[in-house]
Amino acid sequence: MADKIASGRITLAAIGALAGLCQWLLVDVLADQMVDQPRLFLFLVSLYGTFFVALLALIGPLSMPRAALWSGAQAVIVAGLFTWSSLRFDMLEAFLGTGHPEVAIAILTLVPLPFAMARWVDGKWSNYSALFTHSWDIVVRYAAAWVFVGVAWGVVMLSDALFKLIGIDVIQQLLEIEPVPYLVTGAILGVALAVVNELSDYVSPYLVLRLLRLLLPVVLLVSAVFLLALPFRGLSHLF
């Protein structure tokens, strides 16, 4: 059981880190290189967003191969429709400026997910009770995971500030490496989703406590390094 839990967390952490790496490539690398190919870039962005949102939502209720297959097919269809609809406008800015595309792609990405879960988990895609349950499950899992991402980044920032009091800036140096913040955010999101999946039958304070427990090793390590280095650095900068 413990091996299965650890394997699930590692898998989702790796997928989340991959999502972060892909986002960094799109935002910081390809965005400048594909200025002359805006519609191709739009296709890649919508493909990326749909695929990883669907994949991270489906893994747990669905097996990894089935979730990846569904997410890939859905991403290609949604990205294709999204890019095709942009051809009605001469300029991509005019298409995005209408305000409708963002709503449309969100609907096309999120609405099919409960139907996929109902089909493969409960055996009937039109089961209203199952659709409601799975829809609520997706909202709760993503909300809890993103809250944990915010808390985890708060711990990282506080740890960095604490280390700087004793002259250690290793966290800042790591975060200044371009893809690292994206990788960290994605990995944390993946681990949080894995923990939420483990407690999918319980929407209670135990979910929050289980997520916060993941931060204990980090807090312990930072506190230990701080206390060990404090006698050599002095208290002049502490307050």
Side-chain angles (χ1 to χ4, degrees):
M1 184 64 179
D3 293 340
K4 184 178 180 180
I5 292 175
S7 176
R9 293 184 182 183
I10 292 172
T11 299
L12 276 172
I15 294 173
L18 179 61
L21 179 62
C22 291
Q23 183 175 0
W24 170 73
L25 290 172
L26 287 171
V27 173
D28 291 346
V29 179
L30 295 180
D32 295 329
Q33 297 180 0
M34 300 183 68
V35 174
D36 298 330
Q37 299 173 296
R39 297 189 195 279
L40 177 58
F41 183 69
L42 177 68
F43 177 82
L44 292 176
V45 170
S46 53
L47 183 74
Y48 157 80
T50 303
F51 177 74
F52 280 107
V53 168
L55 182 63
L56 290 171
L58 293 177
I59 291 180
L62 272 62
S63 64
M64 175 65 182
R66 186 167 286 171
L69 181 62
W70 175 278
S71 301
Q74 181 183 354
V76 171
I77 294 172
V78 172
L81 291 173
F82 194 58
T83 307
W84 186 24
S85 64
S86 72
L87 297 176
R88 295 187 302 159
F89 295 80
D90 294 331
M91 301 295 294
L92 193 61
E93 290 77 7
F95 170 66
L96 298 175
T98 62
H100 304 307
E102 294 83 356
V103 177
I105 196 171
I107 292 174
L108 290 174
T109 299
L110 298 175
V111 169
L113 300 182
F115 289 92
M117 295 167 70
R119 169 64 182 85
W120 298 113
V121 175
D122 303 287
K124 188 177 180 181
W125 66 268
S126 58
N127 186 333
Y128 177 80
S129 177
L131 289 173
F132 178 83
T133 300
H134 293 309
S135 299
W136 172 248
D137 179 63
I138 291 172
V139 171
V140 170
R141 286 193 290 128
Y142 261 120
W146 278 112
V147 167
F148 178 71
V149 169
V151 173
W153 269 110
V155 171
V156 171
M157 294 297 101
L158 289 173
S159 300
D160 180 46
L162 196 62
F163 275 179
K164 286 179 179 177
L165 291 175
I166 53 177
I168 300 176
D169 61 350
V170 62
I171 295 179
Q172 181 180 349
Q173 291 179 11
L174 287 174
L175 294 179
E176 287 176 353
I177 302 174
E178 288 189 357
V180 168
Y182 293 93
L183 291 171
V184 171
T185 300
I188 293 173
L189 178 64
V191 172
L193 285 170
V195 173
V196 176
N197 287 336
E198 296 164 15
L199 301 175
S200 58
D201 294 333
Y202 306 95
V203 181
S204 69
Y206 292 107
L207 173 61
V208 178
L209 294 175
R210 180 69 67 88
L211 288 172
L212 291 176
R213 187 184 298 173
L214 297 175
L215 298 176
L216 286 179
V218 178
V219 174
L220 177 62
L221 177 62
V222 171
S223 301
V225 174
F226 176 77
L227 292 175
L228 289 173
L230 188 60
F232 303 98
R233 297 289 182 172
L235 299 174
S236 59
H237 300 290
L238 180 61
F239 294 104

